[in-house]
Amino acid sequence: MHLEGLIEDIGGFGLYQKILIPTLACSKIIIVQTMLMMAFAGVEPAWWCTSGDTELSQWNTSQLNGSYQNCLWNGTCERKFSDVMETAVTEWNLVCEMSWVSNAIISVQMAGLLVGAIIAGYCADKYGRKKVFYGGLFVTCIGNIVSAFSVSWIMFTFVRAFLGVGCGLLLATVYLYQIEFVGTKWRAFVAALPDWPLGMLILSILAKWLHNWKWIHLAVAALTIPYLCTWFFVPESLRWLTVKGRLEEAKSVINKMAAYNKKPVPDTSILELIAEEEKAEGKQTRNYSYLDLLRTKKLFKKTFYSCFIWFGCAVVYYGIAFGLKNLSGDFYMNLTLMALTELPITPCMIFITSFFGRRVGAALPFFLAAALCFGLAISTRLAPADERGNYINACAIAAKFTISSGWLVSMTLCAEQFPTVIRNLSSAAQSAAARIGGIFAGWN
């Protein structure tokens, strides 16, 4: 008998899981707001050059005296930014010769995400899912507070890297942490929870309400603080406790789970047998390394293609998300639309895959995303000037929806291509490829 069978016997997805799983899932709301903060903080509002002998209206967007967003202004240029929003760009004058800094900050943050994922992969097995998970939450909380008090863009960049590590710890742990409390058949449901778009929606509300990157950082930190208090009632992973031989703690979790789910307490002596089985499987798995993903020509091709898919998805998804500042129209409305378009992804993909399978369910959105990206590129060159912004916005938002849909299906599809003993390794490799894609996506 495996641990999943024991969990099914005491409810599978009863009241206990209905409380615990959404609680853990809500961490993604914090992750999204932290990761995509630069979509707002990197916005360049309208600005003007003023000098001692020239008075300009801040709201005049004509090329009066060449002052409007003119990087080649002759003479002393004291830049005045529109007060519609306060971003990192307005804070440290990151325009013209310093415009590269915003993109660099995003790439450094995504590099931190990669480092955090690597650290989590090791520490979650050694020290437990709970410590890594809440460690990531603590890092994001502290990082968001410190970010708000950054005194230079260099300090801000280092703190964003620190925040990237925290998000990496969380992203690499949260799904694994969740599924180790539910029955096997509920794993797809856990993966499909709309926590990510909900986080984007809350970020758009915070941005519209506060208009200030510092206050948004502090607001996200404030949302994180009560979440940290869940440490006191969220248990350690049942599987990890069992594998590590901490059977008394595992029995306590099982008893609580059975009580909440109104199921009879099972014979927990079976945990000792399960612990031996899990340890045996663990020892088998530790004999494998990343080299085994490249051991045969067939595995090499599967590894290459799956990593390329994740890399491409990350480039498109984060490229559009962080490039939101370049779209025409109201920034807040565009951010809200991008969040709302992701909400129906799960029911749409469940419908498509139930009829056509996962391969078609992944391929169809990818083809549509590619066509939309080509359409976006063509629109920037050939669309009529008065309609260009609308074409670009429509293509970008639709491309983000389709790439998200394809990525959701391919997560399961790619995992199923590998033998069980190296499936975790393949997942880690694909995640690393996505983080590398995120680093490239910062430059848009």
Side-chain angles (χ1 to χ4, degrees):
M1 181 180 187
H2 289 281
L3 197 58
E4 287 81 1
L6 183 60
I7 292 173
E8 288 289 354
D9 288 343
I10 52 175
F13 201 86
L15 178 62
Y16 186 84
Q17 286 84 357
K18 289 173 183 175
I19 295 172
L20 179 63
I21 300 306
T23 299
L24 294 174
C26 284
S27 65
K28 282 192 180 179
I29 294 174
I30 307 299
I31 299 172
V32 176
Q33 293 166 357
T34 302
M35 280 182 63
L36 299 186
M37 179 69 70
M38 283 304 296
F40 175 84
V43 173
E44 179 184 323
W47 56 271
W48 294 258
C49 263
T50 62
S51 60
D53 57 351
T54 307
E55 290 189 4
L56 301 170
S57 168
Q58 189 175 351
W59 309 111
N60 186 354
T61 57
S62 69
Q63 297 295 330
L64 178 61
N65 294 329
S67 63
Y68 178 63
Q69 298 190 183
N70 185 358
C71 293
L72 301 176
W73 177 261
N74 293 321
T76 303
C77 176
E78 180 186 346
R79 295 190 181 105
K80 291 188 178 294
F81 289 88
S82 166
D83 59 4
V84 69
M85 61 175 66
E86 294 182 42
T87 68
V89 174
T90 65
E91 182 75 16
W92 295 299
N93 232 335
L94 303 180
V95 297
C96 298
E97 70 279 359
M98 296 295 289
S99 60
W100 61 272
V101 172
S102 294
N103 294 333
I105 292 173
I106 293 171
S107 293
V108 169
Q109 169 194 298
M110 299 306 286
L113 209 75
L114 175 59
V115 172
I118 294 171
I119 294 172
Y122 172 77
C123 292
D125 282 336
K126 187 173 179 63
Y127 303 110
R129 324 299 195 214
K130 183 176 180 179
K131 290 184 178 68
V132 175
F133 179 81
Y134 282 95
L137 275 177
F138 181 75
V139 167
T140 56
C141 182
I142 297 300
N144 275 304
I145 293 172
V146 175
S147 291
F149 297 97
S150 297
V151 296
S152 70
W153 67 264
I154 297 175
M155 176 182 172
F156 185 63
T157 303
F158 276 104
V159 179
R160 291 306 302 178
F162 183 69
L163 281 167
V165 172
C167 290
L169 292 173
L170 286 166
L171 277 178
T173 311
V174 60
Y175 180 64
L176 182 65
Y177 198 9
Q178 288 174 299
I179 64 173
E180 290 179 346
F181 287 102
V182 301
T184 307
K185 66 180 181 181
W186 292 99
R187 291 178 179 177
F189 172 79
V190 171
L193 291 172
D195 37 27
W196 191 273
L198 184 59
M200 285 187 65
L201 190 60
I202 294 174
L203 175 62
S204 68
I205 293 171
L206 289 175
K208 178 68 175 177
W209 178 35
L210 299 172
H211 301 292
N212 186 304
W213 67 280
K214 293 182 179 180
W215 285 109
I216 297 174
H217 271 293
L218 292 175
V220 175
L223 290 173
T224 311
I225 290 171
Y227 197 90
L228 286 169
C229 297
T230 61
W231 164 276
F232 297 103
F233 66 85
V234 172
E236 178 55 87
S237 160
L238 185 56
R239 178 180 294 279
W240 186 84
L241 290 172
T242 304
V243 171
K244 294 298 180 180
R246 294 165 61 169
L247 299 184
E248 290 304 316
E249 293 175 66
K251 290 176 184 178
S252 176
V253 174
I254 288 174
N255 291 340
K256 184 180 292 186
M257 197 181 296
Y260 270 82
N261 294 345
K262 297 182 179 179
K263 296 287 183 179
V265 178
D267 180 11
T268 53
S269 62
I270 195 70
L271 281 177
E272 295 178 11
L273 177 59
I274 294 174
E276 292 302 319
E277 290 177 355
E278 296 289 342
K279 285 180 181 178
E281 289 184 8
K283 288 178 181 177
Q284 253 189 331
T285 303
R286 282 195 292 271
N287 291 330
Y288 293 87
S289 70
Y290 286 104
L291 291 176
D292 289 289
L293 296 174
L294 314 173
R295 189 72 65 185
T296 66
K297 184 177 180 180
K298 187 176 181 180
L299 279 174
F300 176 83
K301 288 172 66 176
K302 287 182 176 181
T303 301
F304 175 79
Y305 291 142
S306 62
C307 287
F308 182 78
I309 288 170
W310 279 59
F311 173 86
C313 288
V315 169
V316 176
Y317 183 90
Y318 290 116
I320 295 173
F322 289 125
L324 186 65
K325 59 190 177 183
N326 299 320
L327 299 184
S328 62
D330 183 71
F331 171 83
Y332 306 106
M333 180 59 70
N334 291 335
L335 182 58
T336 303
L337 283 174
M338 284 200 173
L340 291 175
T341 53
E342 286 197 31
L343 285 173
I345 285 176
T346 299
C348 286
M349 298 321 297
I350 289 175
F351 176 79
I352 291 173
T353 54
S354 63
F355 279 93
F356 303 106
R358 290 195 179 98
R359 291 184 67 182
V360 174
L364 181 61
F366 286 154
F367 277 119
L368 290 174
L372 288 163
C373 287
F374 277 118
L376 193 156
I378 293 169
S379 297
T380 61
R381 298 290 183 181
L382 302 179
D386 56 337
E387 293 292 333
R388 186 174 300 157
N390 293 332
Y391 285 131
I392 292 173
N393 284 19
C395 287
I397 292 172
K400 188 168 177 288
F401 171 81
T402 52
I403 201 67
S404 300
S405 303
W407 200 353
L408 177 65
V409 178
S410 67
M411 286 179 183
T412 304
L413 181 63
C414 289
E416 291 173 343
Q417 303 305 306
F418 295 87
T420 303
V421 291
I422 58 172
R423 192 165 290 164
N424 284 343
L425 291 170
S426 68
S427 179
Q430 292 153 15
S431 180
R435 305 303 160 230
I436 295 170
I439 294 172
F440 283 95
W443 297 92
N444 54 62

